[in-house]
Amino acid sequence: MPAMKKTAKSSLLVTSATLLSFSLALTATATAPALADDKPSSTPSATPSTSASPSGKSSTSPSATPPADMSTVGGAQLGRSGTQANLGAGAPVLPKDLSARSWIVADAESGDVLASHNAHWRLPPASTLKMLFADTLLPKFPKTEKHKVVSSDLAGIGPGSSMVGIKEDETYTVHDLWLGVFLRSGNDAVHVLSAMNKGVDQTVKDMNEHAEELQALDTTVVSPDGYDEKGQVSSAYDLTLFARSGLQKKDFREYCSTVRAKFPGETKKNKKGKTTRGSFEIQNTNRLLTGDYGLDAYKGIAGVKNGNTTNAGSTFTGVAERDGKVLLVTVMNPEKEEHDQVYKETAKLLDWGFQASGKVDPVGELVPPKSADTGAQPGANASGEAGGSGDGKDSSKPVAASAETDGSSGVGIALGIAGGVLVLLAAGVFVINRRWPLPDLMRRRR
């Protein structure tokens, strides 16, 4: 049988990243999984949610049966219901006992979809929608910008929302706020950033426009934080597009792969009358990044985002690298109710994808944005990356490393999808048809 055909014309560059292995001593409790955003164990001064949105603001849970007609963006086979895979000689069989309503396995570099299951089924996305939020707003504010929170910034947050612990009348940097979004899935951080972006309504409009630009046509945004709202839907295909686009941004890569960080606490006066402001540690809620009770951190994982609400169930998009191959997997709403089930099914699909690479024919492709130029790309810098964080700093630094390198406290599984990867030029043009070999990447990282 021939090797896997490359059908994607627009290739999104992924740099082969190196896993800096650390021993994560995680004290895990044998409690039931959280109902909202898969919260981590409690930390001082943080106020995460323990329940999902109430029925008064929720949409009706979707039928367990996929629609007969779904979008064919990315290829006709992706519009079919059920599992889609074109196995070649020597290809491993797909994992057994997958219970998710929808999932997709894609090559992040070429855009080839290796296999899928109801890829375009429009389902509630939960906090995986925050990937689109971040991809839309990250370029708008420098990370050093400061903002003093007022009461109106926190208005309209849904009951039971996951929170990082933002306080009224306290000042936070944009960097702090993004750590709250990515690590604790904080709806309070989302609302503060939305307020800085002229409000929730403007942010929803911006997100819907950006989704259309990315050709994520299954997506309708109603609330920027992914909170259950009537009519708010996305798909495994679209969530994968959001991750692929977001990972082109240096800051996005940094935040989504950070394991733990310090977050500003509340300003208080001590016994001597001196005003002080401490901090507390927050940990990423991505269990494949941190590990959990009965679940090891996944080898090669580098993000991206998880979510959990009443209507969406558990949702997750992950990116991982092995032997120079980078895969994106999205899993939506496993019907099995076992602890960490969405992560277990994601890990199975990642394992399969790495084993199947080169042994399957794609069932479709991840399409480029409407404005993408698939021709030659002048103007890219030597690392292959132009733009990224928008702060003018060198983009080749490994992401999510340690407190000494990126200012985010914590040991960190520091798989850096760093300089030269997933690049979006300042003009919105994709860099394609160029991949840095691993040895060169290693030299540039050092």
Side-chain angles (χ1 to χ4, degrees):
M1 293 293 289
M4 181 179 72
K5 294 183 291 185
K6 295 294 182 182
T7 60
K9 298 296 183 183
S10 58
S11 172
L12 188 60
L13 288 181
V14 176
T15 301
S16 305
T18 304
L19 180 64
L20 303 180
S21 297
F22 292 88
S23 295
L24 290 177
L26 299 174
T27 303
T29 57
T31 57
L35 295 180
D37 293 316
D38 223 3
K39 66 171 186 170
S41 56
S42 59
T43 53
S45 303
T47 54
S49 70
T50 57
S51 62
S53 54
S55 57
K57 293 201 70 178
S58 299
S59 60
T60 302
S61 297
S63 166
T65 303
D69 296 319
M70 291 184 284
S71 169
T72 57
V73 171
Q77 197 169 350
L78 293 175
R80 301 174 189 170
S81 62
T83 301
Q84 307 300 318
N86 301 327
L87 304 182
V93 296
L94 283 160
K96 297 180 180 180
D97 302 324
L98 295 176
S99 66
R101 292 186 175 184
S102 177
W103 54 259
I104 192 170
V105 182
D107 185 309
E109 180 182 33
S110 69
D112 289 337
V113 177
L114 306 185
S116 68
H117 181 77
N118 302 324
H120 281 291
W121 193 358
R122 304 180 77 201
L123 297 166
S127 283
T128 45
L129 192 65
K130 289 182 172 79
M131 294 187 296
L132 176 62
F133 172 77
D135 194 40
T136 304
L137 262 64
L138 262 171
K140 295 192 175 188
F141 308 107
K143 59 168 51 177
T144 56
E145 182 175 338
K146 295 182 179 180
H147 178 80
K148 186 174 182 179
V149 176
V150 297
S151 59
S152 59
D153 294 346
L154 301 174
I157 298 176
S161 287
S162 51
M163 309 279 271
V164 67
I166 290 174
K167 303 297 182 182
E168 184 180 343
D169 295 327
E170 294 287 2
T171 297
Y172 301 86
T173 65
V174 167
H175 177 70
D176 295 329
L177 296 172
W178 283 119
L179 287 171
V181 171
F182 277 90
L183 272 66
R184 287 299 288 263
S185 204
N187 288 6
D188 47 355
V190 170
H191 277 254
V192 172
L193 286 162
S194 296
M196 295 173 65
N197 189 51
K198 300 180 181 179
V200 168
D201 290 344
Q202 181 62 50
T203 300
V204 168
K205 179 182 177 182
D206 291 346
M207 290 172 66
N208 279 315
E209 289 176 351
H210 189 48
E212 185 176 355
E213 158 63 16
L214 295 177
Q215 300 198 63
L217 305 183
D218 298 324
T219 298
T220 300
V221 181
V222 179
S223 177
D225 50 24
Y227 190 84
D228 283 338
E229 294 283 1
K230 184 176 181 180
Q232 180 153 274
V233 291
S234 189
S235 66
Y237 184 88
D238 284 9
L239 293 174
T240 308
L241 290 181
F242 301 152
R244 194 181 189 216
S245 178
L247 285 165
Q248 294 173 78
K249 297 175 174 62
K250 171 182 174 287
D251 289 345
F252 190 105
R253 298 193 301 269
E254 175 187 344
Y255 294 129
C256 80
S257 59
T258 298
V259 174
R260 52 175 60 87
K262 292 293 185 181
F263 193 82
E266 193 171 2
T267 300
K268 297 179 179 179
K269 286 187 177 181
N270 60 22
K271 294 180 179 180
K272 296 182 179 180
K274 183 178 179 180
T275 299
T276 61
R277 188 181 188 188
S279 62
F280 56 92
E281 185 178 276
I282 57 175
Q283 180 174 287
N284 202 309
T285 56
N286 175 354
R287 302 306 191 190
L288 288 189
L289 191 66
T290 65
D292 195 14
Y293 178 79
L295 181 72
D296 293 333
Y298 188 83
K299 181 181 178 181
I301 195 70
V304 202
K305 190 69 188 76
N306 58 310
N308 193 312
T309 64
T310 299
N311 291 336
S314 295
T315 59
F316 180 67
T317 297
V319 61
E321 183 270 347
R322 284 187 189 173
D323 301 324
K325 179 67 65 176
V326 182
L327 298 181
L328 282 162
V329 168
T330 295
V331 173
M332 300 187 76
N333 198 352
E335 294 183 353
K336 285 187 178 179
E337 296 183 356
E338 296 181 14
H339 183 50
D340 288 334
Q341 185 64 26
V342 72
Y343 303 108
K344 294 174 182 177
E345 297 195 12
T346 298
K348 288 181 179 180
L349 287 168
L350 283 168
D351 285 344
W352 175 86
F354 288 123
Q355 295 170 13
S357 180
K359 302 174 183 177
V360 299
D361 288 334
V363 299
E365 66 174 346
L366 300 177
V367 295
K370 290 181 178 180
S371 61
D373 182 349
T374 58
Q377 316 301 332
N381 62 23
S383 70
E385 180 163 6
S389 67
D391 58 9
K393 296 181 180 179
D394 175 35
S395 297
S396 63
K397 186 182 78 172
V399 300
S402 66
E404 290 75 23
T405 58
D406 71 357
S408 62
S409 171
V411 291
I413 293 177
L415 176 61
I417 302 183
V421 308
L422 294 171
V423 181
L424 188 64
L425 297 180
V429 181
F430 271 69
V431 175
I432 67 165
N433 297 329
R434 186 179 182 186
R435 177 179 179 184
W436 289 98
L438 183 59
D440 184 67
L441 169 66
M442 295 301 294
R443 286 193 295 271
R444 289 187 296 111
R445 282 177 63 91
R446 286 194 294 267

